[in-house]
Amino acid sequence: MNASRLRVLNPAGSPQVINGEGAKRPRSLDGLVVGFLDNTKNNTDRILAGLEEAMKATYGIKSLVEVKETSNRPADPDLLASMASRCQVLVTGIGD
Amino acid sequence: MSWSVHDSIQAEKLGIPTVTIATDKFAQLGKFEARVLGQRELPIVVIPHPIVDLNPEAARALGRQIATQVGEAIQGKVPSKTVAEEVQFRAAEQPDVLAGDAGELEETFWANGWSDGLPVVLPTEDRVRSMLAYSPCPAEAIIGAIPPFWAPCTVKKIAVNAVMAGCRPEYLPVVLAATSAILQEEFNLYGVQGTTNPASPLILVNGPLSRELGFNSATNCFGQGCRPNATVGRAVRLIMTNVGGGVPGSVDKSTVGHPGKYSYCVAENEPMNPWEPYHVERGYRPEDSTVTVFAVAGPHDVNDKSTTAEGLISTLAQAMLPVGSNSVFFGSEAFLALCPQHAALLAREGISKAELKQRLYAQARTPLESLSQGNREGVIRWRPRCTEDQNGRKMIKLVERPDLINVIVAGGPGNHSLFAPFWRSRSVTRRLELEEGRPARSVTDFVPGKKIS
């Protein structure tokens, strides 16, 4: 073996990709309760309010709006569980 | 971005279909995170960045405009977008051991982005073996999973990165403890890795090992020139980048960053500390050695020539809550490094560390009205309990409680203290321990019978 050849170790990690499946999607939105989870980023409340208004007009949805404590942390699991028990669809954001 | 995707995935697991809204500058990161977290098909509706400066009516109009897109995404009518393939998956394609001459290997490391932008020491098998001799646990032991790759990180992987950073083998226990600390949930590394904020782990080393290993706690301790400070901080950053995937641009979204993201590591100047050392305040014994991590923005000098404690405290209180800093928006904790002269001035007047914190807590206030409208809105939404009425004015507090102010003593002669604005995170301390959980009293405890040179 050539003396100048070195053996070095790979310093990187690999993404630990999980293969999961999402929730079943509804065929129609008519009459469904849509939850809006506001992450507190500036203007998120207004964008979600506009979206809620237009979705009510377009799809006849009912709505439920909650605000998480901060965009920099996960939503409180109790809040998510509570929303899951009261709505059939959830809109989150805004990733920014 | 990261936590909205996380929230959506948690809801999907509860059986609730979701749509995540993201701006175009962050959607790719969101798709990547969704893929890693097992939801390749997670619908993300993309809007133009930025949203922060939209006027109220424009923001509502934007919401109305995306109603159809969101509605169709809920019903699964939107073809799933391709996942963020450009975010590096290269690591998976590389073997565990690479062979070649030094020049070739260096080029491979550059090509793979296995660097912080500075040349690295090649992690040869011999060097990594020497480093692992100082590990308190087996090479294949897993310290934790580093987000957003959530890659299980072995002691060996940490040793490889520590070699690259230029660490001596005996620094490994400090690097391991710091890595373990940033992986604690309250530190919020997932957020740190992807945020636009310049927050980065600041590593504080306390106790006898900090002196034995030669960490700089005195003149220029936050600056360049000391191998342990420079390389331990650098090792943690390389681990976050190489093992965790926090690559600038694709995952690390820090708008401007700061130089401490190369390395941000300091020891406390315990001999010049007139009070108890920081780690003792956190419940450890003086003979214990610890590592504490703080997620903070860049350091901010506090140049103060006061002749009285009152004057100094007034300066510190004003300096630590400047408009435009993280201190205004988060208030999770505060970090202050007092130079020995400033600490001595306070001690001479009989002020304890607890009293200093109490007075900083009481005096570090900024009128809410001094913030512009958008900032006021952000502060009120993020820190609903941050204000207190004072003489008819709403005042923003630095932190919610005095004990959330971390005070260390560091630096050499001169009248410059330093504070670092905190992000949404909590500090975490880890003791340097041997395999059985016994506290290490000397670095030689890790390698019985061996003397360090």
Side-chain angles (χ1 to χ4, degrees):
Chain A
M1 185 179 161
N2 185 334
S4 69
R5 275 181 80 77
L6 301 171
R7 285 169 58 82
V8 302
L9 300 177
N10 181 338
S14 305
Q16 292 303 291
V17 177
I18 307 163
N19 289 313
E21 276 187 26
K24 194 163 178 288
R25 307 218 147 246
R27 284 164 185 251
S28 155
L29 288 174
D30 191 24
L32 292 187
V33 180
V34 177
F36 295 88
L37 181 55
D38 173 351
N39 71 352
T40 72
K41 284 264 183 182
N42 278 38
N43 268 330
T44 294
D45 51 348
R46 300 187 181 105
I47 292 170
L48 292 183
L51 175 63
E52 178 193 3
E53 176 197 321
M55 287 184 74
K56 280 180 174 169
T58 309
Y59 296 106
I61 63 154
K62 299 187 183 94
S63 67
L64 169 70
V65 179
E66 295 282 2
V67 183
K68 63 188 270 197
E69 193 186 335
T70 167
S71 56
N72 311 121
R73 288 280 197 188
D76 181 345
D78 291 342
L79 173 63
L80 273 184
S82 156
M83 291 191 84
S85 69
R86 291 179 291 154
C87 61
Q88 287 93 45
V89 172
L90 184 66
V91 176
T92 71
I94 290 175
D96 181 54
Chain B
M1 177 75 248
S2 306
W3 287 121
S4 283
V5 167
H6 184 274
D7 293 341
S8 290
I9 285 171
Q10 293 307 112
E12 295 265 353
K13 286 180 183 168
L14 294 171
I16 305 294
T18 66
V19 171
T20 309
I21 304 173
T23 68
D24 53 10
K25 303 290 187 212
F26 294 86
Q28 206 68 19
L29 172 60
K31 287 172 193 163
F32 166 73
E33 288 170 331
R35 170 81 177 107
V36 172
L37 294 170
Q39 305 274 322
R40 182 188 266 276
E41 312 293 331
L42 192 83
I44 296 179
V45 167
V46 182
I47 60 176
H49 181 88
I51 56 169
V52 66
D53 57 355
L54 295 176
N55 69 44
E57 187 38 48
R60 282 191 201 90
L62 177 58
R64 288 193 291 271
Q65 283 161 25
I66 58 172
T68 310
Q69 261 180 284
V70 171
E72 291 186 349
I74 289 170
Q75 296 168 80
K77 289 182 186 165
V78 178
S80 62
K81 300 246 169 61
T82 50
V83 188
E85 302 296 354
E86 72 263 32
V87 176
Q88 62 158 309
F89 277 80
R90 286 181 297 234
E93 300 153 16
Q94 296 284 354
D96 284 343
V97 180
L98 299 93
D101 68 32
E104 290 165 359
L105 290 166
E106 281 163 11
E107 286 310 313
T108 302
F109 275 55
W110 285 122
N112 283 302
W114 294 339
S115 166
D116 50 10
L118 294 169
V120 296
V121 176
L122 287 173
T124 60
E125 288 178 312
D126 284 349
R127 286 171 175 157
V128 172
R129 199 174 302 119
S130 300
M131 182 77 67
L132 284 168
Y134 283 85
S135 172
C137 42
E140 297 307 325
I142 289 170
I143 298 296
I146 305 191
F149 275 7
W150 299 108
C153 185
T154 59
V155 169
K156 190 174 180 183
K157 223 35 142 176
I158 291 172
V160 171
N161 282 277
V163 168
M164 289 167 67
C167 290
R168 286 178 62 91
E170 58 267 28
Y171 306 166
L172 181 67
V174 183
V175 178
L176 287 171
T179 307
S180 167
I182 62 172
L183 295 180
Q184 300 312 301
E185 189 184 348
E186 62 267 37
F187 185 76
N188 194 12
L189 185 63
Y190 187 42
V192 169
Q193 287 273 54
T195 182
T196 54
N197 201 281
S200 185
L202 164 59
I203 300 158
L204 170 68
V205 189
N206 270 99
L209 268 81
S210 70
R211 294 178 285 280
E212 187 184 9
L213 290 170
F215 280 88
N216 184 10
S217 64
T219 297
N220 200 43
C221 56
F222 281 87
Q224 84 290 6
C226 176
R227 185 172 176 183
N229 298 41
T231 61
V232 167
R234 187 185 189 204
V236 171
R237 170 56 59 186
L238 288 176
I239 291 161
M240 287 166 63
T241 309
N242 294 335
V243 191
V247 175
S250 56
V251 167
D252 182 344
K253 294 288 189 184
S254 186
T255 308
V256 290
H258 70 81
K261 293 183 76 172
Y262 282 101
S263 180
Y264 211 3
C265 178
V266 72
E268 182 164 36
N269 194 336
E270 294 176 29
M272 298 297 280
N273 184 339
W275 308 297
E276 75 276 28
Y278 179 82
H279 66 304
V280 173
E281 198 188 334
R282 286 192 82 138
Y284 296 92
R285 299 167 67 93
E287 58 270 31
D288 288 339
S289 294
T290 62
V291 172
T292 305
V293 290
F294 310 89
V296 289
H300 186 307
D301 173 48
V302 185
N303 184 345
D304 182 84
K305 304 175 196 308
S306 296
T307 54
T308 62
E310 187 185 357
L312 171 60
I313 293 170
S314 168
T315 303
L316 292 168
Q318 291 177 72
M320 289 173 76
L321 191 56
V323 170
S325 79
N326 274 354
S327 304
V328 169
F329 291 104
F330 301 103
S332 311
E333 293 185 26
F335 177 86
L336 172 65
L338 282 174
C339 66
Q341 281 177 213
H342 286 162
L345 173 63
L346 296 168
R348 265 204 309 276
E349 294 195 22
I351 293 172
S352 67
K353 212 196 288 186
E355 184 185 345
L356 170 65
K357 293 181 184 192
Q358 182 61 48
R359 287 173 68 171
L360 288 173
Y361 168 76
Q363 290 184 38
R365 305 281 160 112
T366 291
L368 186 63
E369 71 208 22
S370 69
L371 304 188
S372 66
Q373 192 266 331
N375 290 315
R376 228 170 17 238
E377 193 176 302
V379 167
I380 291 167
R381 298 199 88 203
W382 283 3
R383 297 181 68 194
R385 293 176 295 281
C386 73
T387 58
E388 211 164 76
D389 287 327
Q390 219 167 297
N391 303 324
R393 297 169 92 188
K394 276 201 182 311
M395 304 294 283
I396 301 170
K397 296 186 280 190
L398 173 64
V399 283
E400 311 306 319
R401 302 191 314 266
D403 63 284
L404 294 172
I405 303 173
N406 299 278
V407 177
I408 70 162
V409 174
N415 50 260
H416 296 269
S417 289
L418 175 153
F419 91 94
F422 236 86
W423 192 63
R424 180 78 71 181
S425 166
R426 298 304 294 267
S427 58
V428 177
T429 299
R430 279 280 174 271
R431 184 167 67 167
L432 299 186
E433 293 178 349
L434 306 171
E435 188 169 15
E436 323 76 88
R438 272 189 303 124
R441 297 288 182 240
S442 160
V443 76
T444 56
D445 292 351
F446 292 95
V447 188
K450 184 167 177 177
K451 291 259 179 281
I452 65 164
S453 51

